[in-house]
Amino acid sequence: MKLTLKNLADRVQDEHDAYLLLEELRWKGTPVCAHCGHDKAYFLTPKGGSRGTGMKKADGERTRSVRRVWKCAKCRKQFSVLTGTIFHGTKVSLRTWLMVMVQMSSAKNGISAREVERMHGVTPETAWFMLHRLRESMKRDPLAGLLAGTIVADETWIGGKPSNRHGHKRGQGGQGRTDKTPVVSLISKETGEVRSRVVPNVDGRTLWTVISEQANLAATVLYTDTAGAYPWVGSEAAGHESVNHRAREYVRGNVSTNQAES
């Protein structure tokens, strides 16, 4: 299921739904012990209720349990889908975490702690903490695994116009770019995942280092423009296609760098 804010809100009505969704995403139907990795576990039914239905209230109406706990058949330790994750021990509702995750990953210009504070009614400190935990988790495997498949690569220079700066800060050099910061972006055409890196320059060796650290070149077909550094990098990849912007060629069949440029 593609997680958008709308279908997430429709599907996750309460904390119980949030647990079920995380279990589906993390375990895909088979709970795995967070302590020993064993794939045989037993669901611990809440006292007074059947599996997943919770306890009875005074008026006889049955409530749904919130925290879903499992017990490993091997090490006999208890765990939940939150054990060993950034959500472990959190006092913030799991539904709020999921909402912030979707907003953070889908916002074109990112999302600030102040926005999270206003939209979800948490304190500024909690909003700041949540965003930093999410950003830190994005550095870990499998999110930090190597890209593969069809990868679009392009570079740009970030910074204001030299003419707008103080005289002693204006750079000199080719194309007026030496005082700007070069950034290289890689985009997977299959998944849409974007990875950008600040680099000292955009020569062949630097680009090869950046791309080889983020993509499995042996399993990658690279789409680039005709910048002089890319043929050297492309020779290491499984395939390399380029478009010639100088000849006003921006799309040739499926080959283009439009995704990276946008």
Side-chain angles (χ1 to χ4, degrees):
M1 180 187 73
K2 184 177 180 180
L3 285 179
T4 65
L5 201 57
K6 182 183 182 304
N7 59 34
L8 179 64
D10 292 339
R11 177 169 179 175
V12 181
Q13 300 289 332
D14 54 23
E15 288 297 276
H16 185 269
D17 289 338
Y19 269 85
L20 292 177
L21 177 57
L22 273 185
E23 288 180 2
E24 177 185 325
L25 294 175
R26 184 178 182 184
W27 294 333
K28 293 178 174 54
T30 304
V32 177
C33 178
H35 304 288
C36 68
H38 192 58
D39 61 356
K40 182 69 173 178
Y42 303 96
F43 181 78
L44 297 182
T45 304
K47 185 177 180 180
S50 58
R51 181 185 177 101
T53 60
M55 302 177 65
K56 286 184 177 180
K57 296 194 295 187
D59 58 5
E61 180 183 350
R62 193 173 294 278
T63 63
R64 297 207 297 176
S65 61
V66 175
R67 186 168 180 263
R68 291 170 54 84
V69 181
W70 301 77
K71 186 172 183 177
C72 179
K74 182 178 181 181
C75 69
R76 312 301 293 175
K77 293 182 180 179
Q78 296 183 12
F79 64 95
S80 75
V81 71
L82 308 188
T83 305
T85 71
I86 61 172
F87 312 119
H88 188 73
T90 181
K91 300 296 189 296
V92 181
S93 74
L94 196 54
R95 187 173 187 272
T96 300
W97 273 104
L98 293 175
M99 290 289 185
V100 173
M101 285 172 60
V102 172
Q103 287 179 287
M104 181 179 176
S105 59
S106 61
K108 182 176 181 180
N109 297 318
I111 184 172
S112 69
R114 285 296 186 183
E115 289 179 278
V116 173
E117 174 195 353
R118 291 191 299 269
M119 297 176 70
H120 299 282
V122 298
T123 65
E125 294 81 6
T126 297
W128 183 90
F129 175 77
M130 292 175 69
L131 291 182
H132 275 264
R133 265 204 166 183
L134 289 170
R135 291 184 182 117
E136 183 63 28
S137 69
M138 291 179 180
K139 300 178 183 178
R140 305 176 185 173
D141 288 328
L143 286 177
L146 295 178
L147 298 173
T150 304
I151 307 297
V152 180
D154 199 17
E155 76 288 340
T156 190
W157 282 259
I158 306 298
K161 295 181 179 179
S163 59
N164 293 334
R165 303 183 183 183
H166 293 293
H168 67 285
K169 293 183 179 180
R170 295 177 186 170
Q172 302 293 329
Q175 300 182 349
R177 289 173 170 168
T178 56
D179 62 340
K180 296 187 179 183
T181 302
V183 176
V184 176
S185 289
L186 306 178
I187 300 180
S188 169
K189 286 186 72 69
E190 286 82 8
T191 66
E193 181 180 354
V194 182
R195 299 189 186 180
S196 298
R197 293 291 182 272
V198 175
V199 292
N201 54 62
V202 290
D203 63 19
R205 184 172 299 278
T206 299
L207 291 180
W208 180 86
T209 300
V210 171
I211 296 175
S212 62
E213 286 177 351
Q214 299 299 321
N216 179 5
L217 288 175
T220 294
V221 175
L222 200 61
Y223 287 178
T224 69
D225 56 25
T226 53
Y230 284 118
W232 188 67
V233 182
S235 65
E236 300 287 329
H240 179 213
E241 300 284 347
S242 61
V243 288
N244 189 350
H245 290 172
R246 292 184 178 180
R248 296 185 178 276
E249 180 188 46
Y250 300 99
V251 179
R252 188 181 69 255
N254 293 325
V255 182
S256 76
T257 59
N258 291 343
Q259 279 182 290
E261 290 175 358
S262 64

